[in-house]
């Protein structure tokens, strides 16, 4: 084991909180505090951070906000090797720069994982964390709220907040008070609260009693006086039970009336609210689109909005700085500066999409700087099962962080910063994870969010709904190359080797499975029973490979997340394994002449033609339930 570098801190800036935070980040930096350590003077300054060493060998760190100390320390550790004097100065570009972690799509990070993330964030210089919790926090009055979903207790959230505070990071509660509440509203207790299956019944007193209790429970564990109250994507607002009870109403009026009630509740609980802005733009668009530059929000609607609510402009899609600037100006027209939310694309499938992440982030944050936006954060969603590990997205957080302290981000500096702040991770290896979905047939950078690694893993060998899409493409060769690269990555990424061992096994499984259905169909169409028997024999080692993948996935999940939610992925893996056994049974029955045909292989393979599949530069993308069957799991 490499000996830790000894450091000795002194000066007026060494507060008790800073010293406590040092205990968290020092192991990540390979450092230890010692009386005989390298001397570093610490002091507070205004509006900047500095790290350096004088000609006489004495180090110094100067910082404004507490999180700047930890970023400056990480800079100091990187540049202080050797004896040369140096002097680094950075000026923060944003007042808050942070992360929103999805704790509602199955994966609820453990307190230990949240603390690990916070330590890495501090070294990066990120100073805000939002835990997106639709129903994954305890509300005493509603025992079914978050039942069996891994909900956080008040004590757990308070422990996270205490840890964050020592690192200079604010945790802002993030909940939903209008839509995105399918899991919360599915139980009988919520019968009087529902407009539709996922939207609250606006205007009902029971709704505001529910919201008051959830806001109180969500905000109580945290020091922050801010709260994110959601309100996005309420597409069917007022069109369910509300329509039956009250008739049709202008939805702008419904939004403002509801927002006033909820904002007043938040204010009474001591919190200043923010909301996603999309519903106002969607209601003002003739097409219902969020990013409609021709959307018109009437002046009276803007005037009637509560003034203590901040708008959050979320956009994970555009790569044109000019578009972001125009849309930021549209938000300014509401009378205040918006918060900007970008995306680290962890939600597209089993691996992050860094091509999309980098292209959108570089454009968006350049626009934010140009337009004077002072608050930004990166979202890390986990749609459709949270198949991608939270920490696989660390490189995207580093990109956000570096934008927070520079006009533009230098690629070489980004890699060096990432290695320091991640505790030894290699940026090139993390970025290589994009290649799981940036396959032959997919445009460079995967701009249309194709997810072949997901559909090739989960799709059925006999049914092969996506087989036509990948026909004639060298997928086996692509994933074989990834096997070699992931094998190297799994040996050189320190604490993240466990992640790369999973991705190594994923590449091994996809190498064998990616064209299995196509080969079975070709052999069947040729009447080659010997070849079908040989393919049947390949299915057993493939099943072993996928089960090994399942176990590695499980190990990573349980290392970072509560066990609740893993059952969904366990069932997915179990489905693959069961269907491989059935496929072998069916192929052997045909090869042995026990059946005259295999109806699944008789069927013609068609292009996967659905609204969410775009043809140019993509192989398609899909949710698990639409990947594995053309039928349905319910109804």
């Amino acid at each position: 084991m490499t000996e830790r570098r000894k450091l000795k801190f002194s000066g007026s800036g060494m507060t008790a909180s800073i010293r406590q935070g040092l205990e968290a980040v020092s192991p990540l930096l390979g450092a230890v505090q010692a009386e005989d350590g390298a001397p570093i003077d610490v002091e507070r300054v205004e509006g900047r951070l500095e790290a350096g060493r004088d000609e006489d060998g004495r180090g110094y760190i100067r910082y404004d906000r507490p999180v700047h100390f930890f970023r400056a320390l990480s800079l100091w550790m990187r540049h202080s090797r050797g004896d040369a004097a140096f002097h680094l100065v950075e000026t923060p570009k944003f007042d808050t720069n942070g992360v929103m972690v999805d704790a509602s799509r199955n994966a609820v990070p453990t307190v230990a994982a949240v603390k690990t993330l916070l330590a890495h964030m501090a070294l990066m210089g990120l100073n805000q964390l939002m835990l997106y919790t639709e129903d994954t926090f305890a509300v005493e009055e509603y025992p079914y709220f978050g039942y069996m979903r891994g909900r956080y207790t008040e004590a757990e959230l308070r422990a996270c907040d205490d840890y964050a505070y020592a690192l200079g990071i604010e945790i802002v509660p993030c909940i939903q008070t209008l839509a995105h509440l399918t899991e919360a509203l599915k139980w009988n207790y919520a019968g009087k609260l529902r407009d539709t299956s996922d939207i609250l019944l606006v205007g009902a007193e029971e709704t505001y009693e529910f919201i008051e209790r959830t806001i109180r429970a969500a905000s109580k564990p945290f020091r922050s006086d801010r709260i994110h109250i959601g309100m996005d994507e309420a597409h069917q607002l007022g069109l369910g039970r509300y329509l039956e009870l009250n008739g049709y109403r202008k939805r702008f009026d419904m939004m403002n009336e509801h927002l006033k009630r909820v904002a007043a509740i938040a204010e009474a609980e001591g919190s200043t609210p923010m909301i996603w802005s999309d519903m106002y733009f969607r209601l003002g668009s003739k097409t219902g689109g969020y990013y409609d530059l021709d959307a018109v929000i009437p002046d009276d609607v803007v005037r009637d909005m509560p003034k203590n609510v901040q708008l959050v402009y979320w956009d994970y899609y555009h790569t044109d700085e000019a578009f972001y600037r125009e849309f930021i100006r549209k938000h300014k027209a509401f009378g205040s500066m918006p918060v900007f939310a970008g995306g680290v694309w962890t939600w597209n499938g089993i691996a992050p999409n860094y091509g999309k992440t980098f292209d959108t982030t570089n454009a968006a944050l350049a626009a934010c700087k140009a337009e004077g936006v002072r608050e930004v954060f990166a979202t890390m969603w986990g749609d459709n099962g949270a198949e991608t590990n939270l920490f696989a997205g660390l490189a995207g957080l580093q990109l956000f962080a570096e934008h927070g302290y520079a006009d533009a981000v230098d690629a070489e500096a980004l890699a060096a910063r990432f290695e320091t702040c991640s505790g030894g991770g290699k940026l090139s290896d993390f970025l290589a994870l994009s290649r799981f979905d940036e396959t032959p047939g997919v445009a460079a950078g995967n701009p249309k969010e194709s997810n072949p690694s997901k559909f090739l893993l989960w799709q059925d060998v006999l049914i092969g709904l996506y087989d036509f899409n990948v026909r004639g493409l060298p997928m086996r060769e692509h994933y074989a190359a990834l096997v070699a690269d992931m094998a190297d990555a799994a040996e050189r990424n320190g604490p993240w080797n466990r992640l790369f061992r999973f991705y190594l096994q994923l590449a091994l499984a996809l190498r064998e499975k990616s064209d299995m259905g196509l080969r079975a169909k070709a052999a069947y169409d040729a009447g080659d029973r010997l070849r079908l028997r040989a393919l049947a024999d390949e299915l057993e080692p493939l099943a072993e490979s996928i089960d090994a993948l399942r176990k590695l996935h499980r190990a990573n999940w349980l290392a970072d997340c509560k066990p609740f939610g893993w059952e969904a992925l366990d069932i997915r893996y179990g489905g693959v394994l069961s269907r491989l056994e059935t496929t072998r049974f069916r192929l052997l029955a045909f090869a042995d002449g026990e059946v005259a045909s295999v109806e699944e292989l008789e069927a013609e393979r068609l292009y996967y033609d659905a609204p969410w599949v775009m043809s140019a530069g993509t192989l398609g993308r899909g949710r698990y339930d639409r990947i594995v069957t053309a039928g349905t799991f319910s109804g």
Side-chain angles (χ1 to χ4, degrees):
M1 183 176 177
T2 304
E3 183 179 355
R4 294 189 178 277
R5 295 173 66 188
K6 297 179 180 180
L7 307 175
K8 182 179 181 181
F9 298 94
S10 63
S12 60
M14 287 304 296
T15 65
S17 181
I18 290 289
R19 291 187 182 279
Q20 183 180 351
L22 269 172
E23 296 297 322
V25 302
S26 292
L28 301 180
L29 294 171
V32 63
Q33 299 178 68
E35 285 300 313
D36 60 344
I40 303 176
D41 294 324
V42 181
E43 64 175 311
R44 297 288 296 272
V45 296
E46 188 173 340
R48 68 185 188 279
L49 61 89
E50 300 180 21
R53 183 167 53 205
D54 293 333
E55 295 292 343
D56 62 2
R58 192 165 190 87
Y60 56 87
I61 288 176
R62 298 163 187 152
Y63 69 96
D64 184 354
R65 299 186 180 188
V67 77
H68 298 153
F69 167 83
F70 297 105
R71 179 176 171 91
L73 175 61
S74 70
L75 289 166
W76 195 93
M77 290 292 291
R78 184 81 187 187
H79 289 269
S80 64
R81 300 184 186 279
D83 300 319
F86 65 96
H87 178 61
L88 305 171
V89 181
E90 291 185 336
T91 302
K93 306 298 179 183
F94 303 114
D95 297 327
T96 63
N97 188 354
V99 185
M100 176 180 281
V101 173
D102 189 345
S104 295
R105 277 15 179 267
N106 284 16
V108 179
T110 62
V111 171
V114 172
K115 289 180 177 181
T116 297
L117 177 64
L118 288 165
H120 290 293
M121 286 174 59
L123 295 178
M124 293 176 183
L126 298 170
N127 65 347
Q128 189 179 85
L129 174 66
M130 299 184 192
L131 292 171
Y132 176 75
T133 50
E134 293 173 357
D135 67 331
T136 48
F137 61 99
V139 181
E140 183 179 357
E141 296 88 346
Y142 303 106
Y144 281 92
F145 186 84
Y147 172 61
M148 289 294 181
R149 293 256 291 137
R151 61 192 172 198
Y152 290 112
T153 65
E154 179 185 336
E156 287 176 318
L157 293 174
R158 194 176 299 280
C160 293
D161 193 60
D162 289 342
Y163 195 87
Y165 180 75
L167 295 168
I169 298 173
E170 175 191 30
I171 300 187
V172 175
C174 181
I175 64 174
Q176 287 288 0
T177 57
L178 181 58
H180 275 291
L181 288 169
T182 301
E183 301 310 317
L185 300 180
K186 68 188 177 187
W187 303 105
N188 281 336
Y189 82 89
K192 293 183 178 181
L193 306 176
R194 283 192 295 264
D195 180 0
T196 68
S197 62
D198 73 321
I199 299 175
L200 289 168
L201 183 62
V202 170
E205 288 308 310
E206 292 91 346
T207 293
Y208 299 103
E209 180 180 308
F210 170 80
I211 289 172
E212 180 178 4
R213 289 170 173 174
T214 55
I215 286 178
R216 182 175 300 142
S219 57
K220 186 178 179 182
F222 302 113
R223 292 171 173 83
S224 178
D225 59 1
R226 305 174 78 184
I227 186 170
H228 197 317
I229 55 174
M231 295 200 185
D232 60 313
E233 298 185 322
H235 303 301
Q236 300 300 309
L237 172 65
L239 301 179
R241 283 186 62 236
Y242 186 94
L243 185 65
E244 295 173 3
L245 295 171
N246 304 289
Y248 181 79
R249 285 195 63 208
K250 186 178 177 182
R251 293 200 289 164
F252 270 132
D253 293 342
M254 294 179 67
M255 277 294 300
N256 271 355
E257 288 177 14
H258 184 67
L259 180 56
K260 286 178 183 178
R261 292 285 304 266
V262 179
I265 292 170
E267 197 167 54
E269 294 296 329
S271 297
T272 301
M274 64 183 83
I275 65 167
W276 305 111
S277 69
D278 61 296
M279 281 305 296
Y280 282 94
F281 285 91
R282 292 180 194 277
L283 294 176
S285 168
K286 292 181 179 179
T287 62
Y290 182 16
Y291 306 111
D292 182 355
L293 292 174
D294 296 322
V296 176
I297 297 93
D299 291 341
D300 63 312
V301 172
V302 175
R303 285 194 301 269
D304 199 38
M305 290 178 66
K307 302 309 176 189
N308 65 330
V309 176
Q310 193 168 17
L311 293 180
V312 181
Y313 161 37
W314 59 269
D315 192 337
Y316 327 130
Y317 301 100
H318 294 93
T319 58
D320 179 9
E321 180 182 338
F323 181 91
Y324 288 104
R325 294 191 66 171
E326 177 64 21
F327 229 69
I328 289 168
R329 294 185 194 116
K330 284 184 172 292
H331 281 75
K332 290 179 183 178
F334 282 84
S336 63
M337 187 67 75
V339 178
F340 176 75
V344 177
W345 276 76
T346 54
W347 64 90
N348 195 37
I350 301 175
N353 181 345
Y354 278 122
K356 187 83 171 182
T357 297
F358 273 58
D359 287 346
T360 56
T361 299
N362 287 332
L365 296 191
C368 287
K369 295 170 197 176
E371 292 295 328
V373 173
R374 298 299 300 174
E375 296 187 283
V376 302
F377 62 88
T379 60
M380 301 178 74
W381 299 112
D383 299 44
N384 199 223
E387 294 161 337
T388 299
N389 185 282
L390 162 68
F391 293 108
L394 279 178
L397 302 189
Q398 192 76 60
L399 179 65
F400 258 76
E402 298 316 301
H403 268 291
Y405 297 89
D407 292 326
V409 176
D410 175 78
E412 186 175 339
L414 179 67
R417 290 288 300 143
F418 182 71
E419 185 166 4
T420 299
C421 297
S422 68
K426 308 298 182 186
L427 182 67
S428 60
D429 289 336
F430 275 74
L431 298 186
L433 296 177
S434 292
R435 290 166 52 204
F436 278 92
D437 291 324
E438 197 172 330
T439 64
V442 173
N446 196 5
K448 295 183 179 179
E449 309 107 47
S450 187
N451 63 0
S453 65
K454 176 168 181 155
F455 66 66
L456 291 173
L457 175 62
W458 299 132
Q459 80 163 351
D460 188 71
V461 171
L462 280 179
I463 301 295
L465 290 178
Y466 281 84
D467 274 350
F468 188 101
N469 295 45
V470 299
R471 188 175 62 177
L473 296 173
M475 306 302 279
R476 172 180 284 264
E477 292 78 5
H478 177 81
Y479 288 115
L482 266 178
V483 167
D485 292 341
M486 291 298 106
D488 291 339
E491 299 294 330
R492 62 188 178 206
N493 278 275
W496 311 117
N497 284 348
R498 64 180 174 91
L499 285 180
F500 286 97
R501 285 193 289 271
F502 163 75
Y503 282 111
L504 167 59
Q505 189 60 41
L506 177 60
L508 286 165
L510 292 176
R511 182 186 64 185
E512 302 307 317
K513 187 174 184 289
S514 59
D515 65 352
M516 183 68 77
L518 288 165
R519 289 191 287 142
K521 173 65 171 167
Y524 183 82
D525 288 346
D528 191 341
R529 294 174 187 261
L530 289 177
R531 183 60 186 144
L532 286 173
R533 179 178 292 280
L535 284 171
D537 290 340
E538 290 184 40
L539 293 175
E540 287 189 312
L542 175 59
E544 292 174 2
S545 180
I546 288 174
D547 197 43
L549 179 67
R550 178 184 68 87
K551 291 172 181 175
L552 287 168
H553 203 163
R554 181 178 64 190
N556 277 304
W557 182 289
L558 295 177
D560 300 320
C561 301
K562 296 189 177 189
F564 302 96
W566 170 252
E567 71 277 4
L569 293 189
D570 228 358
I571 290 166
R572 292 182 187 184
Y573 280 111
V576 175
L577 295 173
S578 181
R579 288 297 295 166
L580 288 177
E581 190 277 332
T582 294
T583 300
R584 187 170 189 275
F585 171 80
R586 297 280 284 149
L587 295 184
L588 289 177
F590 178 73
D592 292 339
E594 295 175 8
V595 296
S597 66
V598 180
E599 291 180 73
E600 302 95 323
L601 295 178
E602 289 280 348
E604 180 185 0
R605 270 33 180 178
L606 300 177
Y607 175 77
Y608 197 113
D609 187 21
W612 56 89
V613 176
M614 298 167 286
S615 58
T618 179
L619 298 176
R621 56 190 172 99
R623 294 170 52 91
Y624 169 77
D625 56 324
R626 292 305 187 192
I627 289 170
V628 297
T629 178
T632 179
F633 284 112
S634 61

